Amino acid sequence: MSDNELGLFLRIRREAVTPAEVGLPTGARRRTPGLRRSELATLAGVSVEYVTRLEQGRDRRPSAQVLSALADALRLTASERIHLHRLTKAADAGFNCMGGASPVRTVRPTVRALLDRLEPTPAVLVNRLSEILARTEGYERLAGPIGLLDGTPPNLARFVFTDPRARTAYPDWGLVADEQVAALKQGPFRADAHVAVLADELTVTAGADFSGRVDTLPGLPRSSGVTRLVHPEAGELRLAYETLELPADDDQRLIVHLPADDSTSVAMDRLTGRRPGALRAVSG
């Protein structure tokens, strides 16, 4: 399993940028789906040999000026720039921002109060191991019947990769699995001993479904999106989610789900026993 997260991220982003996006001609005989290394090197003002060294992991500490030039050339978003910076810092084994601290499993009273205020909206609080620490009753109505809450403690990543019911519950299982891996890889990943234990477990129990994603996906989960969920009582639901990061000392994130269309809104109202339209669909 590769530990060259910086090189992986640079290669994935390079292959995602089309020549047309950066004003380069598109030839008919291109073998790469995005930019060639030589093209990225020209745009960033560095040598192609240096780009190769970065992608192969032979140089993991580029200067701030080089990072900025690469970020500009790759058209990185703000979150991607932050992630790129974190990857270069992670190359220094002498410092781990988690400091060996155990995952936080306590929930502050004000966070619990916030969850209470969110009822009947499905919302769940998880830590960096994807353990479910607290949830609304609305979330229990969604997650309980599919088996997600059966673990002790329930764990999103473990359910997705090791419970056969997950593939029935999530029609787009592959996309959900991608997001779980990206969330685990966000931060120090295997430099965090606690995350490393979970990663080792999933490598054994899930095999290539997990390890293959670790080797090919950057640790940059989406903070929002739409997930399809097949509920045994409500049928297929389209849920728009928003992820809210709590302060660093909490080391937790809050995931809130809203109906993404009118039919899902009606179905969720039936689950909660509320009047139709109480949980309004998210408008585009």
Side-chain angles (χ1 to χ4, degrees):
M1 203 171 287
S2 172
D3 64 348
N4 180 25
E5 294 296 324
L6 175 61
L8 172 64
F9 180 69
L10 290 174
R11 178 177 59 79
I12 289 174
R13 290 303 306 138
R14 174 173 61 81
E15 293 177 351
V17 177
T18 65
E21 289 180 84
V22 294
L24 295 175
T26 302
R29 301 178 62 183
R30 299 183 67 88
R31 291 183 298 176
T32 179
L35 296 178
R36 300 184 179 99
R37 284 175 176 168
S38 59
E39 292 169 332
L40 174 58
T42 299
L43 291 169
V46 298
S47 70
V48 65
E49 291 79 9
Y50 189 62
V51 171
T52 301
R53 290 206 308 274
L54 289 174
E55 291 192 1
Q56 292 179 348
R58 292 184 285 123
D59 189 325
R60 305 190 183 194
R61 294 178 177 83
S63 68
Q65 292 80 5
V66 168
L67 277 182
S68 180
L70 288 170
D72 290 342
L74 293 171
R75 303 296 196 266
L76 297 188
T77 64
S79 61
E80 288 171 334
R81 287 171 181 263
I82 293 171
H83 183 65
L84 180 62
H85 176 73
R86 287 173 176 167
L87 290 178
T88 60
K89 295 303 180 185
D92 186 355
F95 178 77
N96 183 341
C97 60
M98 302 311 302
S102 297
V104 178
R105 294 187 171 96
T106 58
V107 182
R108 287 189 289 113
T110 49
V111 177
R112 288 194 180 276
L114 174 60
L115 284 169
D116 290 340
R117 291 283 185 174
L118 288 173
E119 293 286 6
T121 301
V124 60
L125 184 73
V126 299
N127 62 14
R128 71 179 187 268
L129 293 184
S130 295
E131 294 173 336
I132 294 178
L133 307 175
R135 67 261 188 177
T136 61
E137 291 182 7
Y139 187 81
E140 291 180 5
R141 295 187 185 96
L142 280 182
I146 67 173
L148 176 53
L149 301 180
D150 290 353
T152 308
N155 185 293
L156 289 175
R158 190 176 284 121
F159 174 75
V160 168
F161 282 102
T162 66
D163 195 317
R165 293 174 293 183
R167 295 179 184 258
T168 300
Y170 297 112
D172 304 314
W173 181 87
L175 297 178
V176 175
D178 288 350
E179 287 301 298
Q180 289 303 315
V181 169
L184 286 177
K185 291 182 68 176
Q186 189 176 28
F189 190 43
R190 284 188 174 275
D192 179 334
H194 303 279
V195 176
V197 169
L198 177 60
D200 288 341
E201 172 198 327
L202 294 178
T203 298
V204 173
T205 56
D209 282 339
F210 178 76
S211 61
R213 285 177 166 83
V214 169
D215 287 340
T216 57
L217 292 172
L220 196 62
R222 294 185 300 171
S223 60
S224 62
V226 175
T227 300
R228 289 197 298 156
L229 175 71
V230 176
H231 191 278
E233 299 171 30
E236 182 172 313
L237 306 172
R238 294 183 67 251
L239 301 168
Y241 66 88
E242 287 287 341
T243 304
L244 309 175
E245 299 285 346
L246 270 62
D249 287 344
D250 291 309
D251 187 27
Q252 297 165 355
R253 64 187 189 275
L254 178 66
I255 307 172
V256 182
H257 298 82
L258 297 168
D261 54 35
D262 290 337
S263 62
T264 299
S265 178
V266 171
M268 290 175 66
D269 285 337
R270 291 198 189 102
L271 283 178
T272 59
R274 291 167 66 92
R275 61 179 176 80
L279 289 173
R280 288 177 291 180
V282 177
S283 60

